[in-house]
Amino acid sequence: MPYDPGGVLFIALGLVLVAAGSLWRGRVVRPLSVKRAHAAATRDRSRNLLRAADMAIAEARRQATLGEPAIVTVGDVHRVACRHYGYVSVEHEEAAAALRRRFEAADCRRDCMTDAFN
């Protein structure tokens, strides 16, 4: 077999990178901030509640018969949030606010009814 300096160089470079990776333990680029973690959790929770409201509206529309308005309740949003996202403590006002936002964004006034505005 002929001697190939490119292959040997490639293997040597790979071994150097593996050795450097095993020696370099890494460091935290940005230290964990409680404030930033709390803000991220709040954003995730509100986004998940909006998704739960969308799912509740879609489910109500699927269950409604032809010519009948779909009825979406705040309890439906709470049930979907608990089932899909594991939230055990969803405030009534939180779920109602998410349902109101998605109700208006999805133009549900023409074919849906809700108790979120009460």
Side-chain angles (χ1 to χ4, degrees):
M1 290 195 334
Y3 177 70
D4 186 16
V8 173
L9 182 64
F10 182 75
I11 291 174
L13 180 63
L15 290 174
V16 168
L17 287 175
V18 167
S22 66
L23 293 176
W24 181 63
R25 301 211 192 294
R27 61 181 171 83
V28 177
V29 176
R30 292 172 53 183
L32 181 64
S33 167
V34 174
K35 189 187 308 182
R36 201 169 46 246
H38 182 67
T42 303
R43 278 192 313 271
D44 286 345
R45 182 177 176 88
S46 66
R47 185 178 336 123
N48 289 341
L49 282 176
L50 290 174
R51 287 179 184 158
D54 284 336
M55 286 188 262
I57 290 171
E59 181 67 27
R61 282 181 169 167
R62 276 192 299 272
Q63 289 179 355
T65 60
L66 189 63
E68 177 183 276
I71 300 171
V72 186
T73 64
V74 176
D76 294 338
V77 175
H78 183 272
R79 181 180 44 79
V80 171
C82 289
R83 187 176 56 200
H84 284 282
Y85 299 107
Y87 296 142
V88 287
S89 63
V90 177
E91 297 288 327
H92 181 79
E93 288 303 316
E94 261 184 318
L99 183 55
R100 281 191 296 269
R101 283 185 62 192
R102 300 317 296 167
F103 190 83
E104 291 172 354
D107 193 27
C108 290
R109 292 202 184 272
R110 57 190 168 104
D111 66 339
C112 295
M113 295 175 62
T114 186
D115 63 347
F117 294 100
N118 296 341

